[in-house]
Amino acid sequence: MAFALITDTEVGSPDTNTVTTPSIDTTGATLLVATVSSYEPNSQPTFSDSKGNTWTALTAYAETTLVRQRTYYCIGGTVGSGHTFTATGSVIFASIVVAAYSGTSPTFEAETGAHSAGVTTLQPGTLTPSGDNRLVVCCSGDGDGTTSRSIDG
């Protein structure tokens, strides 16, 4: 069975220490994917949700002076109405994007990524799904909000 997006939410905040998304109804989701961007020189924020799920953190990709991007996923967690997501830390200026998907027996296959400051093109590496009905997620962080981005193929 192919994956289907149930709902998503996002939030960016000038709050230095904590940011929480608006609540969404994740009922029916078998896979939750979140990405958190935060201020790089300071510690990685703690990521959590209002349902108490356990999240798997992937590699944090960071510029040395501005932004860090980290993706998290939760397979088969607790879902439902009123679901919120929070990043907490000290002077983190975090942004969060979360997507809830339905689909049969999701598993994690692979990740790739890259980071660089002041470039207009960035190649994060090749990622080839191992078969049909795979979900590929791409996330991007921007420290100053001025760079236009696009994703090919």
Side-chain angles (χ1 to χ4, degrees), residues 56-122:
T56 300
L58 299 178
T59 303
Y61 294 96
E63 296 175 8
T64 57
T65 61
L66 202 52
V67 67
R68 169 192 308 109
Q69 181 84 29
R70 182 169 235 169
T71 300
Y72 300 81
Y73 69 92
C74 174
I75 296 173
T78 302
V79 296
S81 62
H83 206 160
T84 61
F85 307 85
T86 302
T88 304
S90 180
V91 192
I92 57 170
F93 300 101
S95 296
I96 304 170
V97 177
V98 178
Y101 298 94
S102 63
T104 305
S105 304
T107 60
F108 176 78
E109 281 190 22
E111 72 170 310
T112 185
H115 58 88
S116 185
V119 300
T120 57
T121 301
L122 184 62

Side-chain angles (χ1 to χ4, degrees), residues 18-77:
T18 301
V19 61
T20 300
T21 66
S23 66
I24 56 175
D25 186 351
T26 56
T27 300
T30 56
L31 173 65
L32 303 171
V33 178
T35 188
V36 178
S37 294
S38 61
Y39 185 52
E40 162 51 30
N42 297 328
S43 297
Q44 178 80 39
T46 301
F47 179 70
S48 61
D49 71 343
S50 61
K51 303 292 185 185
N53 287 310
T54 299
W55 291 83
T56 300
L58 299 178
T59 303
Y61 294 96
E63 296 175 8
T64 57
T65 61
L66 202 52
V67 67
R68 169 192 308 109
Q69 181 84 29
R70 182 169 235 169
T71 300
Y72 300 81
Y73 69 92
C74 174
I75 296 173

